[in-house]
Every structure is written in C-alpha cells, then in structure tokens.
Amino acid sequence: MIFIGLLIIAIGAFCQSSSYVPINKIKDWSWESYWMIQGVFAWLVFPILGTLLAIPSGASLFNLYASNPAATFKTIFFGMLWGVGGLTFGLSMRYLGIALGQSVALGLCSGLGTVLTPIFTGDTQDLTLPVIVGVVVMLAGITILGIAGSMKSKEVDEEQKKDSIKDFTFGKGILVAVLSGFMSACFAIGLGFGSPLIWASTPEIFKTLPAVFLVTLGGFIVNAGYCLFQNKKNHTWGDYRKGNVWGNNLIFCALAGFLWYSQFFGLSLGKGFLAKSSVLLAFSWSILMSLDVTFSNVWGIVLKEWKGCSKKTIAILLSGLVILVISCFLPQLL
C-alpha cells in the first residue's frame, strides 16, 4: 500500500514538472496573458472538479466552508500568500529555466512547508526526528543542485544560455526563486489549517481536496490581480483579442493547468495509501516537492538546459538528484 501511495505521488510530481513544457507551445501571447489563462485551469477549473469527488451525497461544499469559518479564512489567506510564491515561481522558470528554477524554489518550499506547517498549526507531534533528518538530507540534495547551477552559469557562454533559456539571468533568477520558495511553503501551511474541512464519509484519498481548492482560490486571486495589472501596464489587452491563436493557446494552457493540478490531486490520493505510516504522512509534502525537483531536472536535461556543461557539473547534478530520491524514502527507514 505504501509503495502504491508513493507511486501515485511520483506520477503527480512528474505531471507537475511537465506542466511548463506546454507553455512553450503558446503563441503570440505575453507572459501575463498566458499565466492568467493557465491559472484559470490550474487554480479554479480543475481544483473545483477535484473537489466534487470529495462531496458526499446530499452534502454541500458551501455549508462545509460556512461551518468552519476560521479554517476557511486561514486556508484562503495562506493561499493568497502562496499566490505570491506562484507568481515568482513562474518568473524563476523564466530567468533560470525549468531545472534550476524549480530546484531552488521547490527545495525551499519543501523544507519550509514540512517544518513550518506543524509549528503554525500547533500540531508539532508530526515533527519527529526522522522527518527532520529527511528534510535535512533533501535540502542537502537541493544545495548540490544549486552548486551545479552556479557552475553552469560560469561554464556556459551567454549565447548558449539564451539558446536554451531565452531570458536567463542568474542573479535575478536566484533572488526570485528564493522568494518563491519561502512564499510557496504557504501552500502546505494552508493545507494544514484546512485539515478540518472534511466530511467523515469522504473516502480517505479525496479528503484534502476541499482544502486544496481554497488554497488555489487564494492563489488565483493574487495571480489574476497581478496579471490584469500587467496587461494594463504593458498594454497587452490585445492578446485576448487575437482570435487566430486562441484555439492553440487554450489547449496548451488547459494542458498546463491539468498537469500542474495533478501534483496535488496525486498527493491527496497518495496520502490515502500512506495512512498507516504517520512518518510518511508528515513527510509527504517533502516527498512531492523532492520528486518535483527530480523530474524538473530530468526535463531540464531533455530540453538541453545543461548543454555545454562539463562532465564534472553533470556529475554533481546527478549526485544531487540521487540524494533527493534517497531523501524520499529515508524517514521510513529510520
């Protein structure tokens, strides 16, 4: 059962790490326009559809939220904070590429989300030594990936960087990715506060989905506001009137949104199979983020973001990935 749970989480992580690939197929839209439309699918449409699976016959989602106003408000609030992380997360991909951008941002998100959630919610019994050791090992793997990224920035000339990552800027990208990591950890904290938002009769694999929707709703509010502001500032309202690209762009925005949401749908399903392991349940957020980073770096290799790097740099990159994979299983072995 545990293996099945981990496999489902891994599939969700693979989908998430693949979610930025369809964006490369979007035509003739500014960043703020495609980020807005993919966000409609990622943070509204698919989370709503997922939440429908958790509603028992005769129950009301509105009544669930209304009967737990404190949990509902806190979950949305931390979702809005996560929304800031979501914005900067997209920018970290823009400046650093899929591999390095996700490594730094998701690495910090993973460690902080796992440690801060029980502290904020007061449920510190989940913060056990095996979980802390797993987080430390995972952060070590992230650090090694960061070293590989720094070596890459010195080895690869500007023309090669721009060839694989159009707007590559290492210094700005690192700052944005660090901010993204801190703020993105609020997703895990929001889920922690949303833990009372369940129905007892809901199958275990679907129980966290109502809380996931509230977090993504908060994130959508922030992202939509920013994107609309950028549309006005950059005079890009015309993007939405380009009828000749809407068909193509809508398909790839929807695909990106579906792949992105799959990570949290998979996390919910996977946790249902981890119920007998309190350690893995507490560490499940880090497992998801670690696998996100692992698969994002695989995509980075496939998309030739590491082209032109030395064998030493590639070896360091691979060693960091191996440590990340080990960190996913380590808490259960301690």
Side-chain angles (χ1 to χ4, degrees):
M1 296 291 283
I2 288 178
F3 174 76
I4 295 175
L6 293 174
L7 179 61
I8 292 173
I9 293 175
I11 293 172
F14 176 76
C15 290
Q16 189 280 334
S17 65
S18 306
S19 65
Y20 292 90
V21 178
I23 287 178
N24 293 327
K25 300 294 185 179
I26 294 174
K27 300 177 181 178
D28 204 22
W29 273 4
S30 62
W31 179 89
E32 55 268 22
S33 299
Y34 75 67
W35 193 251
M36 172 72 177
I37 301 303
Q38 72 84 31
V40 170
F41 289 101
W43 306 320
L44 286 183
V45 175
F46 290 114
I48 290 174
L49 293 177
T51 301
L52 295 179
L53 296 173
I55 304 176
S57 177
S60 166
L61 185 63
F62 176 80
N63 289 341
L64 174 68
Y65 294 150
S67 62
N68 295 274
T72 299
F73 172 78
K74 290 177 182 178
T75 304
I76 295 176
F77 173 73
F78 278 97
M80 295 179 72
L81 295 181
W82 163 77
V84 177
L87 277 174
T88 49
F89 186 71
L91 291 174
S92 67
M93 303 302 103
R94 178 179 178 181
Y95 295 135
L96 296 177
I98 292 176
L100 185 56
Q102 290 204 48
S103 296
V104 177
L106 292 181
L108 286 171
C109 173
S110 173
L112 291 173
T114 300
V115 173
L116 293 181
T117 298
I119 293 176
F120 272 74
T121 60
D123 196 17
T124 54
Q125 71 267 16
D126 289 335
L127 203 58
T128 61
L129 181 60
V131 171
I132 294 175
V133 171
V135 169
V136 170
V137 173
M138 180 271 307
L139 290 176
I142 297 296
T143 300
I144 292 173
L145 292 179
I147 292 172
S150 178
M151 294 173 66
K152 170 191 173 183
S153 70
K154 297 175 181 178
E155 293 174 353
V156 180
D157 60 42
E158 290 300 319
E159 184 176 344
Q160 286 178 302
K161 293 174 187 174
K162 300 296 183 181
D163 185 51
S164 59
I165 307 170
K166 182 180 178 181
D167 298 315
F168 184 87
T169 308
F170 184 74
K172 181 189 294 185
I174 288 294
L175 290 176
V176 170
V178 169
L179 174 62
S180 173
F182 274 96
M183 300 305 290
S184 294
C186 291
F187 199 113
I189 299 172
L191 291 182
F193 279 114
S195 58
L197 302 173
I198 60 174
W199 289 278
S201 58
T202 298
E204 196 69 35
I205 58 176
F206 299 138
K207 279 192 173 179
T208 63
L209 294 178
V212 170
F213 168 62
L214 288 184
V215 177
T216 59
L217 174 62
F220 176 76
I221 293 171
V222 172
N223 278 262
Y226 179 80
C227 289
L228 294 175
F229 170 76
Q230 289 296 312
N231 281 139
K232 179 179 180 181
K233 177 183 177 182
N234 299 327
H235 305 288
T236 52
W237 291 111
D239 287 346
Y240 304 117
R241 295 193 293 269
K242 296 175 180 177
N244 59 316
V245 298
W246 256 103
N248 174 86
N249 293 357
L250 195 65
I251 289 173
F252 287 109
C253 281
L255 179 58
F258 171 76
L259 291 172
W260 183 91
Y261 175 67
S262 295
Q263 65 179 314
F264 295 112
F265 188 76
L267 179 64
S268 180
L269 267 61
K271 288 173 70 174
F273 289 93
L274 302 179
K276 294 183 179 180
S277 174
S278 59
V279 172
L280 285 182
L281 275 177
F283 196 60
S284 58
W285 176 260
S286 280
I287 292 174
L288 174 64
M289 294 298 109
S290 296
L291 291 173
D292 280 348
V293 172
T294 300
F295 289 126
S296 69
N297 276 278
V298 171
W299 270 115
I301 294 172
V302 171
L303 296 176
K304 299 181 179 180
E305 292 182 358
W306 296 89
K307 182 180 179 181
C309 295
S310 67
K311 292 182 178 179
K312 181 179 179 181
T313 298
I314 298 300
I316 292 175
L317 169 68
L318 294 177
S319 66
L321 294 179
V322 170
I323 291 175
L324 280 181
V325 173
I326 292 174
S327 73
C328 294
F329 303 95
L330 187 60
Q332 181 65 14
L333 300 176
L334 295 176

